[in-house]
Amino acid sequence: MNTSVTSIKLVLLGEAAVGKSSIVLRFVSNDFAENKEPTIGAAFLTQRVTINEHTVKFEIWDTAGQERFASLAPMYYRNAQAALVVYDVTKPQSFIKARHWVKELHEQASKDIIIALVGNKIDVLQDGGERKVAKEEGEKLAEEKGLLFFETSAKTGENVNNVFLGIGEKIPLKKAEEQNNANEGESNNQRVDLNAANNGTSANSACSC
Amino acid sequence: MARQLFTPPITNPRFDPNQSIRESYKNTTNCIQFQQISHQDQNDNEKSNCDGDEDSTTSERLDNIKSPILTKQEIDDALNGVTNLPSELSKLIDIFIDDLKQPKYVRPLTVLQLSSVFQSFYIKFDKASFQHVSLVSSNGNINGGPSSFLAAKETLSSGFSGIFGRSRSSSGNSVMRPRRSSSLFSNDSISNSNNATQMLSPEEIKRQLRINELNNMKIEKYMEFCERDVFKKILIVGTSVSSPNKMKTLKPHQLQTFKVGNLFRNSVEFTEYNKLLNEKIFCLSKLSTMNKIDLIKFLSLNNGIDPEPKFEEIKDILYEFTYHSISPCEKIKALLKLHEIMTYSQEMSNDDYLSLLIYYIITIVPRDIFLNAEFIRLFRYKKKLVETESFALTNLEAALVFVEGLTKDDFSNELKDKLAENEGKILESSISSKVSLPSKTTMMHKTNGSNNTNIGDIVTPTIQRPDVTRSNSYDGFRTVFDSSLKNIIGKIRSYTPPHPNTVGGNNFHNNTNNNNLNIPRSSSQLSMELVNRDTVEMLRDGSRSTSSSSRSSASLEHGNRECTGDLTITTSANGVDKKEIQKSWKKYKGRKFEDLTICELRDLFEIYQKMMQ
């Protein structure tokens, strides 16, 4: 077993009230235990996941979804290795906003940032609610832009873990060789340098989108 | 396959003995394995694990240690005794501060350059702490265990994993050198281990892991003390290069308040931005008090969160943050405390935090909050400014960016009519449209070179050359004039024979050409103030007239600077009436450079010309 831990900064983006925080809270909900690492409400959380014998520590940064704070988002997603762009499947406007975030991330975030597009609140559909964003639309956007795609329910927990596992598997984890050669800069031994480790473990990616 | 990947052959330079040992004992040493909680997922058959507990080989931040191999009691026992730095480490701080006070640069360093000097020192100190702790533990002073050769060797090699553990939390740039503080040791351990790898019993492995954990915690604590002691000392000795015969004595109350602004005084963009932001926050606060704007409504805070009950508590902590804390470490703790107090429930999202933060900043009006935030960003040890600390600071910076960007257009039309003239002026435009911070310029340069940075970055400052180019965004004329004065000063300086006791001119010039601050040679290379350096040096050399002129010029340049070495001119300079010069000189005493008119600047230039004659 490799006991090294790779930290991944993951930023949450999406319109207000699409369920960004709920998804993360669901993801870490098993660990609201005594020995929890310090958090800042649901705005900053950490969670460790072991993927293919490698431990990934997600540092999850929430962003304010209100439109007035949109311009502040770059401050949060700088140096992020992964982003979750969340929309509400019952709110078409939130999907439009998601498109904007994807575009902005591609333009301004780290070059190889891994983006997962997440359509949340699918439980509402099971309760008789009307879907306003077709799954195919999300899939199409994901395909066009090279994103991971998931539909989730933070309420029931459906598919939530898969989102993070999918990201974890796609992150190019540093090998020992790269670690030894790590030079100064943003990257260091336990932080993933997306630009340096492009050829990492892409073969491992097995997203079920 | 995985084992092959993680344990390369012993002949391979990347061979990690610790990893090998763990692999060898994999089936029998449960103590070093993860405690895993299985995640069951409905749609994925792939097995995945989330560990709710900590990795035993990974060091965590001091305040959230929950190592499975150490009990709380053990941690307390080991760390409670650590209340001060060992003398060897404390000495490093003394040397660093002494070095800071040495006149070495022809021009005062900007805050970004200063930050770089500090970060280099932190790295050096981190290494020294590691060496100190390793030495102590290998002597058996910590665990009282046998200090056999094997134990000593293992302690040394344990540095490898220990370092991995410690560097796990690393982030940010190290411009000068690789950040990992113990890389030298880890390399040593690799080569040593290639020659002799003895099988260790599970007990021995466990013991080594415990030592690693404790050592890492001690180093963390030493780093905290380092920051604390460095800035406490700076508070005592001041931020100016003072005359050796004159040590300014501060009153007790002065020793409790550290003005972060002193560190920024050579970077006018920061001080200007801060001044404008102070004005804007005050203006918004006034509008809120006068009920011209409804902040709660404006910030959409009315969704079940009432900021009032915690107002006093927040006020105290914000005052603690801005006025009563000294080191970046203390300030970031205050900031984390602030977030903790703002937490009404564990489900609070960042919409709530950010809105609350903005609300409290505007209503409490903590002075110089921008400089305090930048102070942390620049002077907190980068390696430690991660996770919650980094997030909390980003939140504060985001709140300040939001406030600086507020204009009257963001409010209702009714407000526009109610605004007084000066209020309208303050809310006319964003501060960032008036003042560009140098860090952003640096960021743009960096973005051109690599893809790692983004908009809004505040990057680790890079010293490319001693005179980092200033942003000329907001006041071209002033910058030009400022630069020309600096050039004049520089020329004067170049004619000054170096004093044998000061840092060698060759060293200095080498350094200026090197684009690097060579810390091993000297723990820092800084002149906080050109003024007194020149004065002191020239007094030694008897070049008093030149000294006075440089001082006067520098005083122009940094009009709001506090001068500590208050030397007076005692001789006339080439027939120029001393009194006349002094009189006209004093005319501008207490004036700020940015307040001077062109006529006054011309006047000053004439004074300067007279003195030069």
Side-chain angles (χ1 to χ4, degrees):
Chain A
M1 175 188 285
N2 183 8
T3 51
S4 66
V5 180
T6 303
S7 290
I8 294 174
K9 178 177 170 180
L10 183 146
V11 67
L12 293 172
L13 294 162
E15 208 177 51
V18 293
K20 298 187 294 289
S21 312
S22 308
I23 289 174
V24 182
L25 283 168
R26 169 62 67 177
F27 175 55
V28 303
S29 60
N30 292 336
D31 284 336
F32 268 134
E34 211 176 294
N35 282 334
K36 193 66 196 154
E37 289 179 34
T39 65
I40 300 178
F44 178 87
L45 293 161
T46 58
Q47 177 65 300
R48 288 167 189 247
V49 182
T50 303
I51 302 168
N52 299 334
E53 294 196 325
H54 197 106
T55 303
V56 171
K57 180 179 173 185
F58 286 105
E59 292 169 14
I60 305 164
W61 291 45
D62 188 22
T63 59
Q66 294 172 33
E67 189 58 38
R68 76 180 77 222
F69 297 135
S71 63
L72 306 174
M75 300 179 79
Y76 293 87
Y77 63 65
R78 75 185 168 103
N79 301 327
Q81 287 92 28
L84 236 65
V85 179
V86 186
Y87 66 92
D88 180 346
V89 294
T90 66
K91 287 184 185 160
Q93 181 58 35
S94 68
F95 186 68
I96 294 168
K97 187 68 196 167
R99 276 183 189 276
H100 284 291
W101 282 125
V102 171
K103 188 167 177 280
E104 185 176 318
L105 285 171
H106 277 147
E107 286 169 359
Q108 295 192 33
S110 305
K111 189 171 155 253
D112 296 319
I113 188 169
I114 292 159
I115 306 171
L117 181 67
V118 179
N120 193 30
K121 302 195 184 178
I122 53 171
D123 55 286
V124 177
L125 311 178
Q126 287 151 12
D127 295 341
E130 190 184 349
R131 177 191 276 272
K132 297 279 177 64
V133 183
K135 191 175 182 184
E136 291 72 28
E137 271 190 272
E139 284 173 338
K140 193 180 162 205
L141 178 62
E143 199 180 340
E144 280 171 7
K145 304 288 180 187
L147 322 173
L148 297 173
F149 175 68
F150 301 89
E151 285 198 331
T152 60
S153 166
K155 193 175 175 185
T156 65
E158 187 178 345
N159 228 9
V160 168
N161 288 340
N162 279 349
V163 175
F164 294 90
L165 290 173
I167 290 171
E169 285 169 353
K170 248 199 143 184
I171 288 283
L173 301 174
K174 279 202 155 186
K175 293 176 181 173
E177 186 180 1
E178 287 163 341
Q179 288 180 349
N180 286 340
N181 294 334
N183 53 7
E184 68 272 18
E186 286 298 324
S187 64
N188 55 53
N189 280 352
Q190 260 63 30
R191 283 184 184 268
V192 179
D193 181 356
L194 291 173
N195 298 315
N198 216 357
N199 53 354
T201 56
S202 55
N204 283 344
S205 68
C207 111
S208 55
C209 53
Chain B
M1 181 183 159
R3 288 174 71 134
Q4 282 171 355
L5 175 68
F6 295 124
T7 57
I10 196 165
T11 50
N12 188 320
R14 293 193 303 275
F15 175 74
D16 177 355
N18 284 346
Q19 184 62 53
S20 170
I21 292 164
R22 279 193 292 273
E23 289 288 314
S24 306
Y25 288 91
K26 195 173 177 180
N27 298 326
T28 52
T29 56
N30 292 330
C31 60
I32 60 166
Q33 290 182 6
F34 288 116
Q35 293 183 9
Q36 293 169 331
I37 299 165
S38 181
H39 265 285
Q40 292 179 347
D41 202 280
Q42 300 163 4
N43 301 333
D44 196 349
N45 293 327
E46 191 175 2
K47 190 184 170 191
S48 65
N49 294 306
C50 290
D51 59 322
D53 236 320
E54 290 303 307
D55 172 11
S56 58
T57 61
T58 304
S59 86
E60 283 298 335
R61 287 152 37 89
L62 195 60
D63 54 350
N64 65 309
I65 285 289
K66 46 239 171 250
S67 165
I69 57 168
L70 288 171
T71 63
K72 195 172 181 303
Q73 182 63 35
E74 284 174 317
I75 295 168
D76 288 346
D77 289 349
L79 296 183
N80 282 348
V82 185
T83 50
N84 274 312
L85 286 174
S87 58
E88 310 90 284
L89 296 176
S90 201
K91 217 172 280 175
L92 285 177
I93 293 178
D94 292 342
I95 293 167
F96 175 62
I97 298 294
D98 285 347
D99 207 49
L100 279 177
K101 303 289 283 181
Q102 294 302 315
K104 288 185 179 177
Y105 282 136
V106 73
R107 291 169 195 177
L109 294 187
T110 65
V111 73
L112 298 184
Q113 291 169 319
L114 201 51
S115 160
S116 194
V117 170
F118 273 73
Q119 294 298 335
S120 302
F121 171 69
Y122 291 149
I123 292 166
K124 185 187 172 194
F125 190 90
D126 196 358
K127 279 184 186 176
S129 302
F130 173 78
Q131 287 167 355
H132 172 81
V133 169
S134 299
L135 198 69
V136 170
S137 59
S138 67
N139 288 338
N141 290 350
I142 285 180
N143 58 350
S147 56
S148 64
F149 166 75
L150 183 62
K153 187 183 82 65
E154 264 306 307
T155 305
L156 194 59
S157 10
S158 70
F160 193 46
S161 59
I163 286 133
F164 271 109
R166 289 199 295 125
S167 61
R168 180 199 55 72
S169 60
S170 300
S171 78
N173 285 342
S174 168
V175 218
M176 307 300 177
R177 63 188 73 192
R179 177 160 301 282
R180 201 151 28 85
S181 58
S182 33
S183 53
L184 290 173
F185 285 84
S186 56
N187 288 338
D188 286 345
S189 74
I190 291 169
S191 52
N192 289 341
S193 310
N194 281 341
N195 298 330
T197 306
Q198 298 186 29
M199 296 293 275
L200 298 174
S201 70
E203 263 313 304
E204 284 173 315
I205 292 171
K206 194 175 174 183
R207 196 175 66 235
Q208 286 310 320
L209 291 171
R210 288 155 60 98
I211 291 171
N212 281 355
E213 286 279 349
L214 286 173
N215 285 354
N216 288 335
M217 289 178 205
K218 282 197 170 176
I219 292 166
E220 299 249 348
K221 199 143 194 176
Y222 285 157
M223 286 311 300
E224 263 184 45
F225 290 157
C226 168
E227 276 188 30
R228 182 197 66 184
D229 291 358
V230 163
F231 284 95
K232 272 193 177 166
K233 200 136 198 176
I234 286 176
L235 181 63
I236 293 167
V237 300
T239 49
S240 305
V241 177
S242 51
S243 159
N245 331 326
K246 282 195 167 193
M247 183 57 83
K248 200 176 163 190
T249 46
L250 294 173
K251 291 168 187 168
H253 76 273
Q254 287 176 298
L255 287 173
Q256 290 164 10
T257 313
F258 177 63
K259 288 183 181 170
V260 292
N262 287 345
L263 295 169
F264 289 85
R265 64 188 173 193
N266 297 327
S267 305
V268 282
E269 294 85 356
F270 283 94
T271 46
E272 185 69 15
Y273 189 101
N274 182 60
K275 187 182 138 200
L276 294 174
L277 190 60
N278 280 345
E279 274 176 11
K280 191 170 251 187
I281 294 172
F282 183 72
C283 173
L284 289 165
S285 176
K286 206 170 136 195
L287 291 173
S288 170
T289 315
M290 295 164 73
N291 290 324
K292 286 185 181 175
I293 53 173
D294 183 352
L295 274 181
I296 290 186
K297 197 176 163 190
F298 177 69
L299 295 167
S300 309
L301 269 172
N302 39 7
N303 54 347
I305 295 176
D306 180 9
E308 285 307 315
K310 291 187 175 179
F311 188 83
E312 286 303 318
E313 214 179 341
I314 298 280
K315 190 175 171 184
D316 288 346
I317 201 74
L318 267 178
Y319 281 3
E320 170 74 26
F321 174 73
T322 46
Y323 308 123
H324 308 309
S325 49
I326 297 171
S327 72
C329 181
E330 289 165 352
K331 286 185 186 290
I332 197 72
K333 277 185 181 167
L335 196 54
L336 288 173
K337 180 81 181 160
L338 175 71
H339 278 79
E340 192 186 315
I341 298 169
M342 285 195 300
T343 305
Y344 284 76
S345 78
Q346 284 302 321
E347 284 77 38
M348 261 176 71
S349 72
N350 210 30
D351 284 273
D352 304 319
Y353 281 106
L354 199 52
S355 300
L356 274 173
L357 202 47
I358 294 165
Y359 174 85
Y360 287 125
I361 288 170
I362 292 176
T363 48
I364 293 168
V365 201
R367 203 159 172 77
D368 297 338
I369 192 166
F370 168 75
L371 287 186
N372 277 281
E374 291 311 291
F375 172 64
I376 297 173
R377 179 67 76 192
L378 295 170
F379 293 96
R380 173 86 171 117
Y381 184 24
K382 294 277 177 228
K383 189 172 153 185
K384 300 297 165 201
L385 191 57
V386 291
E387 301 193 0
T388 42
E389 287 192 11
S390 179
F391 181 81
L393 183 59
T394 304
N395 246 5
L396 175 63
E397 287 174 335
L400 296 177
V401 167
F402 180 79
V403 174
E404 70 88 3
L406 282 178
T407 63
K408 51 190 173 188
D409 295 334
D410 294 308
F411 300 95
S412 65
N413 285 333
E414 291 168 25
L415 177 74
K416 286 180 192 172
D417 304 331
K418 292 180 196 169
L419 289 176
E421 193 183 341
N422 66 326
E423 291 168 345
K425 207 174 165 188
I426 288 169
L427 292 175
E428 187 71 52
S429 58
S430 67
I431 294 168
S432 54
S433 67
K434 298 175 193 164
V435 183
S436 271
L437 295 172
S439 53
K440 291 191 177 175
T441 317
T442 318
M443 177 213 70
M444 281 165 70
H445 291 160
K446 203 178 171 191
T447 309
N448 291 337
S450 76
N451 295 314
N452 285 339
T453 49
N454 309 292
I455 286 174
D457 259 5
I458 295 181
V459 295
T460 306
T462 312
I463 297 186
Q464 296 297 335
R465 50 188 181 278
D467 52 336
V468 165
T469 315
R470 280 190 174 183
S471 154
N472 54 1
S473 56
Y474 74 103
D475 192 340
F477 171 75
R478 194 180 72 182
T479 309
V480 169
F481 192 83
D482 200 22
S483 307
S484 65
L485 276 178
K486 282 190 165 185
N487 286 337
I488 294 163
I489 295 162
K491 280 172 189 164
I492 294 165
R493 170 69 187 91
S494 66
Y495 291 128
T496 310
H499 191 278
N501 293 335
T502 57
V503 175
N506 289 338
N507 276 350
F508 172 75
H509 289 299
N510 286 341
N511 195 44
T512 57
N513 295 331
N514 266 348
N515 299 344
N516 254 329
L517 294 172
N518 189 4
I519 293 304
R521 186 177 60 77
S522 162
S523 57
S524 85
Q525 318 214 339
L526 168 75
S527 172
M528 293 278 221
E529 276 197 3
L530 165 71
V531 183
N532 293 322
R533 197 275 312 276
D534 280 345
T535 311
V536 170
E537 277 189 8
M538 290 171 188
L539 272 176
R540 283 172 186 164
D541 296 329
S543 312
R544 292 175 184 176
S545 61
T546 319
S547 149
S548 65
S549 61
S550 77
R551 187 172 189 268
S552 111
S553 306
S555 299
L556 296 181
E557 185 192 352
H558 303 290
N560 54 351
R561 180 182 295 176
E562 179 190 348
C563 292
T564 51
D566 191 18
L567 302 170
T568 51
I569 303 165
T570 52
T571 59
S572 295
N574 293 333
V576 178
D577 190 329
K578 175 190 82 180
K579 284 181 182 174
E580 185 191 329
I581 294 171
Q582 282 193 335
K583 195 179 171 186
S584 53
W585 194 25
K586 283 176 183 171
K587 201 163 81 178
Y588 297 101
K589 192 182 174 187
R591 296 286 298 277
K592 289 187 176 178
F593 182 86
E594 49 267 44
D595 296 333
L596 295 174
T597 64
I598 293 175
C599 289
E600 288 167 336
L601 288 170
R602 190 184 293 127
D603 189 23
L604 282 164
F605 186 71
E606 278 167 12
I607 294 168
Y608 160 73
Q609 291 286 2
K610 276 183 194 171
M611 288 192 296
M612 286 305 289
Q613 285 163 13

